[in-house]
């Protein structure tokens, strides 16, 4: 008989956001795997949950996952919680989920608070298309690669950052991406919740003058479609129209269709392409 892994979302600040379903699941579980048991015991005491706990965090995620897998293979119900929010989001819980799937152990998610989604909905930036980056890596090379990838990202971007690293991250974002709209969110769902719609230039200036406090969620505007089209046009203009046409004709595309593609990519009319080719042929 196999047990089950239950991903239980816990409050990111306001205890009233704890769902009745999560409370019931944690009470009925045989074991709760918590990121920090010293932190989580306060939550359990508040909701009168007496289920035994064990630690599960970044530094023991692989070894402890094996232990939890054995528990579930024996038929136990395991509830996984983080210090705040939804497990497996920028969290070692993803390792346990993967291992459960490999072993054929059922996994269910009990939805609830999530800092990244809460910040996105408060940001005032587009929520139609977005990507989540979490914390940028500490390794300088890897960090630079990811920042350069983000420079071309057209979706709204969501990042996490600690207060003592905030200024450095904002400076790097501005240096790599240029000035963009950004919303800084902190103390979400708490009494002193702060949502600051601003720009990268202004955010850097503010952090240079005032020491940041609290954990931050950064919601950053993506590159506009117009900007991407403009850069694409500029890149195509590095070659002449005849060479541009030849690229498509070598792929078996008819002259008429190739002319349409060239005109669209260069931001000019088909007539202009035709006239250039006529002049070039003389």
């Amino acid at each position: 008989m196999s047990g089950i892994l239950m991903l239980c979302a816990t409050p990111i600040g306001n205890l009233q956001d704890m769902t009745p379903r999560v409370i019931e699941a944690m009470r009925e579980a045989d074991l709760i795997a918590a990121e920090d048991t010293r932190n989580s015991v306060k939550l359990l005491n508040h909701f009168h949950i007496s289920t035994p706990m064990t630690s599960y965090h970044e530094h023991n995620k692989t070894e402890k996952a094996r232990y939890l897998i054995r528990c579930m293979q024996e038929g136990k119900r395991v509830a996984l919680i983080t210090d705040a929010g939804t497990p497996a989001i920028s969290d070692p819980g993803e390792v346990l989920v993967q291992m459960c799937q490999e072993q054929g152990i059922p996994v269910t998610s009990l939805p609830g608070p999530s800092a990244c989604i809460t910040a996105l909905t408060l940001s005032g930036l587009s929520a139609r298309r977005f990507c989540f980056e979490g914390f940028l890596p500490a390794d300088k090379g890897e960090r630079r690669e990811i920042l350069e990838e983000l420079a071309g990202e057209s979706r709204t971007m969501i990042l996490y950052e600690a207060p003592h690293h905030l200024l450095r991250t904002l400076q790097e974002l501005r240096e790599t991406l240029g000035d963009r709209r950004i919303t800084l969110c902190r103390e979400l769902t708490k009494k002193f919740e702060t949502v600051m719609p601003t720009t990268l230039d202004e955010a850097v200036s503010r952090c240079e003058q005032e020491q940041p406090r609290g954990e931050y969620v950064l919601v950053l505007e993506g590159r506009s479609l117009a900007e991407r089209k403009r850069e694409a046009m500029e890149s195509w203009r590095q070659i002449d129209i005849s060479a541009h046409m030849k690229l498509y004709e070598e792929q078996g595309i008819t002259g008429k269709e190739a002319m349409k593609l060239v005109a669209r990519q260069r931001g000019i009319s088909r007539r202009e392409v035709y006239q250039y080719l006529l002049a070039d042929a003389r």
Side-chain angles (χ1 to χ4, degrees):
M1 176 184 175
S2 179
I4 188 171
L5 175 66
M6 299 175 289
L7 308 178
C8 296
T10 53
I12 57 177
N14 192 320
L15 290 178
Q16 296 304 310
D17 292 335
M18 187 83 156
T19 70
R21 185 178 174 214
V22 167
I23 295 172
E24 181 182 7
M26 289 172 65
R27 285 175 178 163
E28 293 181 351
D30 298 296
L31 182 64
I32 295 173
E35 185 176 4
D36 187 335
T37 56
R38 296 165 301 178
N39 235 5
S40 296
V41 72
K42 302 171 188 175
L43 181 72
L44 269 61
N45 288 341
H46 181 84
F47 290 103
H48 308 292
I49 298 170
S50 56
T51 306
M53 275 195 296
T54 187
S55 64
Y56 179 79
H57 48 71
E58 183 64 31
H59 304 295
N60 72 353
K61 62 185 178 184
T62 303
E63 180 184 350
K64 182 56 71 74
R66 295 192 187 101
Y67 164 74
L68 295 172
I69 291 290
R70 290 197 297 272
C71 289
M72 288 180 278
Q73 287 173 332
E74 292 169 1
K76 292 182 179 177
R77 299 168 63 86
V78 175
L80 178 67
I81 62 175
T82 69
D83 283 346
T86 301
I89 300 295
S90 197
D91 173 80
E94 65 178 328
V95 173
L96 182 56
V97 172
Q98 290 166 3
M99 291 178 69
C100 282
Q101 290 179 344
E102 290 167 2
Q103 296 297 321
I105 295 170
V107 179
T108 188
S109 182
L110 284 63
S114 172
C116 60
I117 297 301
T118 303
L120 175 65
T121 58
L122 289 171
S123 70
L125 297 174
S126 174
R128 189 178 74 84
R129 297 174 67 245
F130 61 91
C131 63
F132 176 68
E133 189 60 45
F135 288 96
L136 291 172
D139 179 80
K140 289 183 179 180
E142 187 181 356
R143 188 181 180 93
R144 174 51 54 187
E145 286 182 13
I146 288 176
L147 284 167
E148 288 173 355
E149 285 181 16
L150 293 179
E153 180 59 68
S154 61
R155 295 170 294 180
T156 300
M157 296 161 272
I158 308 170
L159 299 89
Y160 289 161
E161 194 50 276
H164 53 288
H165 290 145
L166 182 63
L167 176 58
R168 172 199 172 194
T169 295
L170 290 172
Q171 289 171 332
E172 289 176 330
L173 287 169
R174 182 181 63 176
E175 176 187 338
T176 311
L177 282 66
D179 196 21
R180 300 270 185 94
R181 288 195 297 163
I182 185 172
T183 299
L184 278 61
C185 303
R186 59 181 290 275
E187 298 292 294
L188 290 171
T189 75
K190 299 178 184 177
K191 183 177 180 180
F192 298 107
E193 175 178 279
T194 307
V195 178
M196 296 174 280
T198 183
T199 65
L200 277 172
D201 279 348
E202 292 172 356
V204 168
S205 178
R206 183 194 294 263
C207 289
E208 286 173 340
Q209 297 170 28
E210 302 173 15
Q211 184 177 356
R213 293 183 180 179
E215 300 295 319
Y216 281 79
V217 183
L218 313 179
V219 187
L220 184 62
E221 180 180 45
R223 278 179 77 203
S224 69
L225 182 60
E227 184 183 358
R228 286 188 296 141
K229 282 184 175 179
R230 186 165 54 250
E231 287 192 6
M233 287 177 188
E234 289 300 322
S235 67
W236 280 117
R237 287 170 184 163
Q238 301 304 309
I239 62 173
D240 66 35
I241 291 176
S242 296
H244 198 164
M245 282 286 294
K246 189 176 180 182
L247 286 173
Y248 292 116
E249 289 170 343
E250 287 176 345
Q251 297 173 40
I253 297 172
T254 65
K256 186 177 179 181
E257 287 302 314
M259 200 176 294
K260 286 181 183 178
L261 289 169
V262 170
R264 185 185 309 132
Q265 290 169 344
R266 301 177 82 93
I268 59 179
S269 68
R270 277 180 287 171
R271 181 179 177 79
E272 288 176 275
V273 175
Y274 178 71
Q275 289 177 337
Y276 178 93
L277 294 173
L278 270 182
D280 192 51
R282 289 173 187 161

